[in-house]
Amino acid sequence: MGIPRLSLNDPGSYSNPDEIIVSHMDIHLDVDFVHKIFSGYVILTAYVKSKTAQQLVLDSRSLHIKRITLNQNETDELLFTVDEPVHTFGSKLTIQLPKLTSEKLLLKIEYQTDVSSTALQWLVPEQTAGGKYPYVFSQCQPDHCRSIIPCQDTPGVKGTYNATITVPEDFTVLMSAVSSREPKVEKQGKKSFHFNQSVPIPAYLVAIAVGNLESRKIGPRSKVWSEPEIITKAEYEFAETDLFLKTAEDICGPYVWKIYDMLVLPPSFPFGGMENPCLTFITPTLLAGDRSLVSVVAHEIAHSWTGNLVSIKNFEHFWLNEGFTTFIERKINGRVKGEAYRHFSAIGGLKDLQQSVETLGKDNPLTKLVVDLTGVDPDDAFSTAPYEKGHTFLFYLEQLLGGAEKFEQFLRSYFNKFKNQSVDTDDFKTHLQSYFVGEEKIKEIDWNAWLHTPGMPHIIPKYDTSLQEPCKLLANRWIDWKESETHTFGSEDLKSFMPEQVEEFVALLLQKTPIPVSKLLLMENLYQMNSYKNNEIRFRWLRICIQSHWREPVESALKFATEQGRMKYVRPIFRDLFSWKETREEAIEKFNANKSKMMHVLVHNLNNDIKNTAEKST
Ligand SMILES: CC/C=C\C/C=C\C[C@@H](O)/C=C/C=C/C=C\[C@@H](O)CCCC(=O)O
Ligand SMILES: [Zn+2]
């Protein structure tokens, strides 16, 4: 008997929005750095959709629920149960309701979080840039908001929120919302911060960060926030943000979120960026010093339309978030840096997709665009497939249906039709077919091949390779060079390359490992590969060395994989080391020694990788 789909629309949520739907959360929490918990209450505004509804079902995870009352009636506590999880990603909070006399309900839930909350990472001062203050930040996507707030933790439900957060007075609180009034000094050395998010969002976009933070203005509606020690670097790196924002509006239509701030987090943040509305969370691994990695900012800005304004019904349609966002990210970069750059990025993305398909397996159902997540933890389903296969599908559609101008008009109609709603792939398909009605070419689309077939796309668009050519030529010269012959390589070989082309050069070599260590030694001597600060280059170079069984760089690879916690970098480095018999034990020891400093999602995935690579390394 398979694990049941937990609720009608979302295999990952117990909630019952088809009966009673939550439209607003009024959050009141106190942040306790000593016990590493949040405590307080939330008042949920909910509307009864079914007259026979007798229970409100919410998602919860490791929350300690103390008391639940209805419609400000503080005396009558409601009965509730918290069921043992059917699966490992959360519990079912069932609230018994009295006979309902009105369709609008106000439920006050008093509770506190647990130190094991999977959404929160609590840092001691040593894990921060300043080393003086503790820090806490959240990562709710896909289904961890339930470990901060009892809620309908499904993207199929969108609601507004306001929040009052109290902290020790030396700290600053930021949330995925706009500040609704000046912070207020409270009693006992506390300070309260007040927020409002008036655009309805799914629970996974609730976000909070508390630390020793300051900001710099980088545009008319943008500030960058970070610890004081890195604010000047952050201000320089992200100075072009408003250009990306204006370009995105030109493509997608009005930006509805009022402000676009960014928070550069401590190194343990597990993702390149997270599109929390009003406040994109960013990894410090983007601080290359030459703005060469800011395409992630274009990606997170694009989410302001794809994922945040038009959301998904559940994570089986994650590609509608990420494929669309990657497609628009590259359109933004195409407008700013030229169409050839857009195509060059797409070519690089295809290699990432090939890596994912090789790692997951070409028949793995998780490499389909639309996936079945019944009984599957979404954190186990994450890969570049929804990003790059989704992007490739949309690029194919744009070329098939009349080109960029026409397709961008379609995109704006899609955003306008579905704004503030949650959609699935059928909604997208139906809208595309009705928008392009009469267009003969639409009949050529093999929907089953694109949406429901695993592996690489059956069609790859013809991309402009002009920016990739020099990278490919040099990589092939290294691969084809017979070491018995005199080489013609020189320290000038990479001088004309922009950082993204050096990244492409090492990405091409990575597809050809193992490479003789003698060649890598010469490459290091000529190009000083180990001196690159750009983490996309450094990450691929270290993988080339490990996969070629060059022992000397292993120590710097382990340092790279533990001084920051970005899953995109850390997992492949550790997976390569777990798979190399000679380094497996050392890598497992290093992981175990550092996992207390890693975010839940990273530890969860690395534990899986240790199990899954066991066979390969023996
Ligand atoms: C088919 C997949 C279904 C569900 C997966 C959904 C979420 C997975 C969870 O692990 C959260 C992912 C959050 C990603 C956030 C930002 C990424 O776009 C960053 C990509 C990698 C990087 O640049 O670090
Ligand atoms: Zn994204």
Side-chain angles (χ1 to χ4, degrees), residues 231-243:
I231 194 69
T232 302
K233 276 184 82 175
E235 181 185 21
Y236 172 78
E237 204 77 34
F238 303 118
E240 298 167 327
T241 297
D242 196 55
L243 173 61

Side-chain angles (χ1 to χ4, degrees), residues 509-551:
L509 292 178
L510 184 57
Q511 290 187 312
K512 303 285 187 186
T513 56
I515 294 170
V517 172
S518 47
K519 285 191 180 182
L520 299 179
L521 267 167
L522 177 60
M523 220 177 275
E524 174 54 29
N525 291 338
L526 290 173
Y527 302 157
Q528 289 80 50
M529 294 308 300
N530 276 322
S531 64
Y532 276 91
K533 296 281 174 282
N534 176 304
N535 285 306
E536 292 296 326
I537 296 166
R538 181 154 187 68
F539 159 61
R540 290 171 175 82
W541 171 250
L542 288 168
R543 293 198 72 191
I544 291 167
C545 297
I546 298 165
Q547 291 184 13
S548 303
H549 287 185
W550 184 7
R551 193 72 184 73

